[in-house]
Amino acid sequence: MENYPTYDIVAYSQQKNWIYLIEAVHSSGVISNVRLLELKKLTEKCQADIIFITAFLDNSTFRKFAADIAWETEVWIADAPDHIIHFDGEKFLGPYSQITDT
C-alpha cells in the first residue's frame, strides 16, 4: 500500500471492540501529532474504537522522545510492563470516542 502509513502491531479486543495500534519507537518512531493524524486518516472508516500506543524498551529511550509524543495517546515501556503512561485526556486507556458530555 504505497503512500499509506503502517504500524508495527495491531491487537484487537473483541469484548470491547477496541483496536490497539502499537508502534515500537525503534522501528517506527513515536506517535507524534503528525503520525497520529496519519493513523486516524488511515483508520477513519474503522468501526472499532482505536487506542494509539508507542512502545519503548526502557525509560531512558522514553525520556529522549517524550516531548514528541502526541496527546491522547498511550506509552508502554518494556522495563515496566505492568504500567501504562497516559498522555492527557479524561479516560485512562480507552478510546476518546466513548466520552460523552455529562
Side-chain angles (χ1 to χ4, degrees), residues 48-99:
D49 290 313
I50 302 171
I51 300 165
F52 302 94
I53 303 169
T54 302
F56 294 88
L57 290 175
D58 53 47
N59 260 327
S60 63
T61 307
F62 164 68
R63 285 191 298 272
K64 291 177 190 175
F65 293 94
D68 299 325
I69 296 169
W71 293 113
E72 300 181 356
T73 67
E74 316 297 332
V75 168
W76 179 81
I77 302 172
D79 280 354
D82 294 337
H83 300 281
I84 291 280
I85 299 170
H86 177 68
F87 272 70
D88 201 22
E90 297 178 21
K91 285 193 81 64
F92 176 74
L93 191 59
Y96 285 89
S97 64
Q98 291 184 352
I99 297 174

Side-chain angles (χ1 to χ4, degrees), residues 25-40:
V25 74
H26 65 276
S27 63
S28 300
V30 299
I31 299 179
S32 64
N33 289 325
V34 170
R35 183 71 172 137
L36 184 59
L37 290 173
E38 290 173 342
L39 291 171
K40 285 182 175 183

